[in-house]
Amino acid sequence: MGRKFIDCRQFPSEMNCTIAISADTEAELLDAAVQHAVAVHRHQDTPELRDQIKSAIKEGTPP
């Protein structure tokens, strides 16, 4: 099992967020990324948001 990551730079925003989050499991990464999206970007925690984040998860570590 390898690391997984998501990089906020893939989602252009007014904040120009440069956060990248990584974890060993997709579930842990998804939870952390949703928390970030809700707390920082003021998104609502919805199934659609979770699907969008889940589809952006990559294998490895952030560049």
Side-chain angles (χ1 to χ4, degrees):
M1 168 174 35
R3 299 282 285 174
K4 298 176 186 311
F5 76 95
I6 189 163
D7 192 332
C8 242
R9 292 174 290 186
Q10 293 179 304
F11 303 97
S13 70
E14 293 176 6
M15 300 178 80
N16 294 319
C17 185
T18 62
I19 295 292
I21 304 168
S22 63
D24 287 339
T25 68
E26 187 172 295
E28 183 180 24
L29 179 56
L30 181 60
D31 285 343
V34 168
Q35 288 176 20
H36 171 74
V38 169
V40 175
H41 297 285
R42 303 195 187 271
H43 290 289
Q44 295 294 317
D45 184 353
T46 64
E48 293 80 14
L49 175 66
R50 287 180 174 268
D51 287 344
Q52 181 182 14
I53 291 172
K54 196 172 188 179
S55 70
I57 292 175
K58 307 250 188 277
E59 295 287 332
T61 56

